[in-house]
Amino acid sequence: MSRGTLYGVGLGPGDPELVTVKAARLITNADVVAYHSARHGTSIARGIAEPYLREGQIEEQLVYPVTTESTAHPGGYEGAINDFYTEAAARLTAHLEAGRDVVLLAEGDPLFFSSYMHMHKRIGERFDTVIVPGVTSVSAAAAAVGAPLVEGDDVLTVLPGTLAPDELAERLRGTQAAAIMKVSRHFAGIQDALKRAGRLDDAYYVERASRSEQRLAPVADVDPDSVPYMAIVIVPGREAAQPAVAAAAGPVAPGRVDVVGLGPGGRDWLTPQAQAALAAADHLVGYGPYLDRVPPNPRQQRHASDNQVESERAEFALDLARRGARVAVVSSGDPGVFAMASAVLEVAAEARYADVPVTVVPGLTAAQAVASQVGAPLGHDYAVISLSDRLKPWEVVARRLEAAAAADLVIAIYNPASKSRREQIAQARELLLRHRRPETPVVVGRAVGSPDQQVTVTTLGELDVDAIDMRCLLIVGSSQTQVVPSTGRVFTPRRYPN
């Protein structure tokens, strides 16, 4: 009978999505999955691996007999732990001798302060053994801090917090960067050692790195009585920290404003250029519902405002940029079409903002999006008109609408109605009927690009103005616009009759 293989599988720091592809595959395929736990029965390792377990697997729960040095075992704590590891090794050996592969789960990396090593020493020479490395807590904690841990000639030292404060302080003085493990019951001594080494202000406390309950704080601000087992202290190297310190001490670098078009709906309609501008921003500024369409990033600050304060929003964004921030001002659709680009550029024309770069990042317009859902109604000349009279008199809107209708242009109508503006759409319909046949095709797109999308093809004579709201965009055809009866597709030919 062939013998099984022992796999020491690193699970990473806690987030199941940081489990490697190889580790996930081995966990799922294993005959036996083994893991350590405290006497209360909860296993952190099993919790991380749970998404990759399958029904029918044999689970070996290796329960520590003690978790502190207080024990009635005649050999003391060391004797109790040695007996435990010997018994656990015998249980896993029985499976391996029977030909069953055993995956022994290890938080972090199997060979980095891990209980797996005790099994490896006892079993590894007798059976085939494969080590699958995992992301260490040091890497996860450094990522949480968001600052380089080491750079250039920095020396990183990994220290156990169980060292006496005097020795710990001495070692901290002799290294540029440090990661201090096993901190929970020794945290007060660690704080004292960092203070004596002159590194307390440089040190970060990271609790449950990469988990949803992750906590980050300066070491000096942490109550030693609140520190759990899953915690670590990170002290970035002096060379790694130097560029940030130098930048803070020098003049503030000029920022910039990107006015970003989000397109009409979901991420699929967001351009790569817009995605890059949003990702690079320090601050996101915009109308609340539009900001909600951008996935949250805790690194970024979000500044939502009402839809009727465009100039104030623009000024706020430019002031942030003048102080060195990179700001993305978001607009639905394209920012240059009845949106924020004009408002930002108008304020940016003031002398005080002359040194602030402003870039407009285009987006797919609502007119294009609605047109695409029915075919090509914008295939020939067309006009784009907003029915809102909040920023211009209705007389101007009506005059332009009539001119476009008389010119036989296809017309894309933005902002057709709102809760307080119901007369304009009815008046627009009557005005258009002076120049267009009642059979003229009209496309009504509501919330296009969202899960609530509705697109209707009707006629100018049958248009239900009571069903129109601010989430709608209308495309009114010209005399040449056609509807294909068999498919419902709408198009305006590129050739105009002689």
Side-chain angles (χ1 to χ4, degrees):
M1 177 186 297
S2 61
R3 290 156 36 114
T5 299
L6 174 66
Y7 294 91
V9 173
L11 297 172
D15 182 350
E17 291 187 344
L18 291 179
V19 173
T20 65
V21 173
K22 183 173 184 178
R25 174 176 58 80
L26 290 171
I27 293 168
T28 300
N29 294 337
D31 302 311
V32 181
V33 177
Y35 48 85
H36 295 87
S37 77
R39 284 178 293 178
H40 50 61
T42 300
S43 169
I44 295 173
R46 189 191 186 284
I48 300 170
E50 188 170 10
Y52 310 106
L53 299 174
R54 59 176 170 80
E55 291 188 12
Q57 285 179 303
I58 301 167
E59 295 190 22
E60 285 286 358
Q61 184 174 1
L62 310 177
V63 182
Y64 288 110
V66 290
T67 54
T68 67
E69 297 181 2
S70 175
T71 176
H73 190 282
Y77 176 81
E78 291 296 331
I81 288 296
N82 282 332
D83 286 354
F84 161 68
Y85 286 131
T86 299
E87 186 269 336
R91 288 165 58 184
L92 301 188
T93 296
H95 289 297
L96 294 167
E97 289 179 339
R100 291 185 283 271
D101 291 339
V102 176
V103 163
L104 179 54
L105 305 177
E107 299 144 34
D109 183 90
L111 299 181
F112 187 77
F113 287 111
S114 169
S115 296
Y116 167 78
M117 292 182 288
H118 298 283
M119 295 295 100
H120 188 77
K121 292 175 182 177
R122 289 167 170 79
I123 300 175
E125 292 184 359
R126 292 181 286 148
F127 298 92
D128 290 338
T129 304
V130 176
I131 307 295
V132 181
V135 177
T136 68
S137 58
V138 175
S139 298
V145 171
L149 183 56
V150 285
E151 185 177 336
D153 294 327
D154 281 340
V155 174
L156 171 65
T157 303
V158 179
L159 299 166
T162 53
L163 293 175
D166 287 345
E167 183 178 356
L168 188 58
E170 186 62 30
R171 290 181 180 269
L172 287 166
R173 293 188 192 100
T175 190
Q176 283 78 42
I180 306 176
M181 316 279 292
K182 303 180 179 180
V183 303
S184 57
R185 291 186 295 118
H186 310 279
F187 198 78
I190 293 169
Q191 286 176 317
D192 179 56
L194 286 163
K195 184 175 182 180
R196 283 194 272 167
R199 306 301 301 275
L200 183 61
D201 292 340
D202 305 332
Y204 296 90
Y205 166 85
V206 184
E207 179 181 309
R208 298 181 173 91
S210 83
R211 302 295 294 267
S212 59
E213 61 271 32
Q214 174 180 290
R215 176 188 170 206
L216 175 67
V219 167
D221 296 345
V222 177
D223 178 2
D225 293 333
S226 70
V227 178
Y229 176 75
M230 299 295 286
I232 185 173
V233 169
I234 292 291
V235 186
R238 297 191 188 280
E239 188 168 336
Q242 186 175 358
V245 173
V252 176
R256 59 180 290 170
V257 173
D258 295 307
V259 191
V260 181
L262 301 178
R267 187 178 180 87
D268 289 347
W269 290 8
L270 185 68
T271 69
Q273 184 186 18
Q275 291 181 20
L278 293 173
D282 305 312
H283 297 261
L284 301 178
V285 176
Y287 177 43
Y290 299 160
L291 276 182
D292 291 342
R293 288 168 48 188
V294 181
N297 183 332
R299 175 184 62 79
Q300 299 172 324
Q301 295 187 47
R302 302 162 76 92
H303 309 275
S305 56
D306 184 79
N307 204 27
Q308 298 183 2
V309 290
E310 291 181 351
S311 295
E312 294 88 339
R313 188 184 304 145
E315 185 175 3
F316 177 76
L318 289 161
D319 281 336
L320 286 173
R322 196 166 58 167
R323 295 197 296 269
R326 180 159 182 169
V327 184
V329 178
V330 301
S331 283
S332 182
D334 183 279
V337 180
F338 302 122
M340 282 301 298
S342 178
V344 172
L345 291 171
E346 184 177 1
V347 178
E350 298 177 13
R352 56 183 168 148
Y353 298 121
D355 295 331
V356 178
V358 177
T359 301
V360 177
V361 181
L364 185 66
T365 71
Q368 294 167 325
V370 171
S372 72
Q373 301 306 290
V374 295
L378 304 180
H380 206 293
D381 299 339
Y382 67 94
V384 177
I385 295 177
S386 169
L387 291 195
S388 174
D389 58 357
R390 188 172 64 84
L391 299 176
K392 61 183 183 290
W394 172 250
E395 291 75 17
V396 173
V397 178
R399 186 167 62 248
R400 291 176 177 176
L401 191 61
E402 186 156 17
D408 199 23
L409 297 171
V410 175
I411 305 171
I413 298 178
Y414 282 69
N415 306 315
S418 67
K419 291 181 179 179
S420 61
R421 289 190 302 104
R422 304 306 309 175
E423 294 295 325
Q424 288 89 338
I425 182 61
Q427 293 179 36
R429 177 178 173 274
E430 294 303 317
L431 187 154
L432 289 168
L433 282 169
R434 298 176 196 168
H435 301 273
R436 302 284 165 91
R437 295 177 293 111
E439 297 79 19
T440 300
V442 176
V443 181
V444 180
R446 186 179 189 279
V448 170
S450 78
D452 300 326
Q453 171 175 312
Q454 296 175 354
V455 180
T456 305
V457 179
T458 183
T459 65
L460 191 57
E462 296 180 352
L463 177 64
D464 181 6
V465 296
D466 292 333
I468 306 301
D469 60 22
M470 274 296 285
R471 301 188 73 188
C472 292
L473 180 135
L474 278 61
I475 298 177
V476 180
S478 71
S479 64
Q480 304 303 306
T481 303
Q482 302 177 34
V483 178
V484 181
S486 61
T487 63
R489 291 187 181 132
V490 182
F491 70 97
T492 301
R494 293 184 64 193
R495 286 189 175 88
Y496 209 80
N498 294 326

